[in-house]
């Protein structure tokens, strides 16, 4: 099973959002964030021809990033999940992915979320520890592969790319 972890794009800064009366979970992508994320997604398309499912956190910036991915992968199904909400335990996300994989053939699956959670989940999948081994830059991505279902210490890291590297591919 292959999983692409994709961090949301550049969003409105927390202090700017607060000054505008926008709550944390509603912070949107900025115009620059939309443009750079779209370019990153184009780079991802050079590496990954098709995506079966795009799952994202309930936060606005992750949903908007998933929208941009869906433009590039129009046949992909969509799912919003609290398993990608910041602060969720790695086992919860692994359970979500395993359930989706059992119910439907979902490979590759894109998980759109936040830092430090995506980096910690990747570390959990690779080493069994929920520590940060690496972080994903905004609109950056990595590809993890499992022989079967996602389990702690069972992943292989196939690639890790920043948004800038993805844009160069597009």
């Amino acid at each position: 099973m292959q999983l692409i972890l994709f961090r949301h794009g550049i969003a409105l800064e927390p202090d700017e959002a607060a000054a505008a009366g926008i709550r944390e979970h509603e912070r949107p992508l900025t115009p620059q964030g939309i443009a750079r994320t779209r370019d990153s997604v184009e780079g991802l398309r050079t590496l990954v021809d098709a995506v079966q499912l795009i799952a994202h956190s309930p936060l606005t910036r992750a949903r908007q990033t998933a929208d941009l991915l869906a433009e590039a992968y129009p046949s992909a199904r969509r799912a919003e999940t609290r398993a990608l909400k910041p602060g969720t335990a790695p086992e919860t996300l692994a359970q979500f992915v395993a359930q989706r994989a059992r119910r439907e053939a979902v490979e590759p699956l894109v998980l759109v979320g936040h830092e430090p959670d995506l980096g910690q989940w990747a570390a959990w999948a690779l080493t069994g520890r929920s520590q940060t081994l690496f972080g994903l830059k905004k609109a950056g991505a990595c590809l993890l592969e499992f022989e079967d279902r996602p389990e702690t210490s069972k992943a292989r890291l196939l690639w890790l790319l920043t948004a800038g590297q993805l844009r160069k591919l597009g």
Side-chain angles (χ1 to χ4, degrees):
M1 160 176 257
Q2 292 190 334
L3 298 176
I4 298 166
L5 305 182
F6 197 100
R7 185 177 179 193
H8 67 77
I10 300 167
L12 189 64
E13 289 296 324
D15 57 337
E16 293 177 57
I22 299 170
R23 296 183 294 189
E24 170 60 23
H25 70 277
E26 296 173 334
R27 286 193 299 124
L29 297 179
T30 64
Q32 179 187 32
I34 292 168
R36 286 191 177 180
T37 301
R38 187 172 275 126
D39 291 345
S40 290
V41 170
E42 284 182 34
L44 182 64
R45 286 278 303 158
T46 67
L47 296 171
V48 181
D49 292 334
V51 166
Q52 300 301 314
L53 179 69
I54 300 167
H56 61 86
S57 94
L59 280 64
T60 299
R61 54 196 179 271
R63 180 184 40 76
Q64 289 177 317
T65 299
D67 291 343
L68 296 170
L69 283 156
E71 288 176 12
Y73 298 102
S75 63
R77 293 181 300 282
R78 297 278 301 270
E80 180 177 295
T81 178
R82 295 181 62 78
L84 282 161
K85 189 174 178 187
T88 303
E91 296 83 3
T92 303
L93 183 55
Q95 183 179 24
F96 166 80
V97 171
Q99 288 172 347
R100 292 307 289 240
R102 275 195 304 272
R103 283 197 314 236
E104 37 189 306
V106 292
E107 191 175 347
L109 163 64
V110 179
L111 302 174
V112 182
H114 313 271
E115 277 297 320
D117 301 272
L118 289 177
Q120 289 172 351
W121 193 83
W124 175 87
L126 291 162
T127 69
R129 293 184 164 185
S130 294
Q131 65 188 47
T132 302
L133 296 176
F134 59 84
L136 293 171
K137 299 288 187 183
K138 291 179 181 168
C142 73
L143 176 62
L144 298 177
E145 184 173 66
F146 297 87
E147 286 205 24
D148 190 22
R149 61 189 175 96
E151 293 181 88
T152 187
S153 305
K154 301 291 184 180
R156 288 185 357 197
L157 177 64
L158 299 184
W159 50 256
L160 168 66
L161 297 169
T162 66
Q165 291 167 325
L166 285 169
R167 287 193 302 270
K168 286 180 183 177
L169 291 173

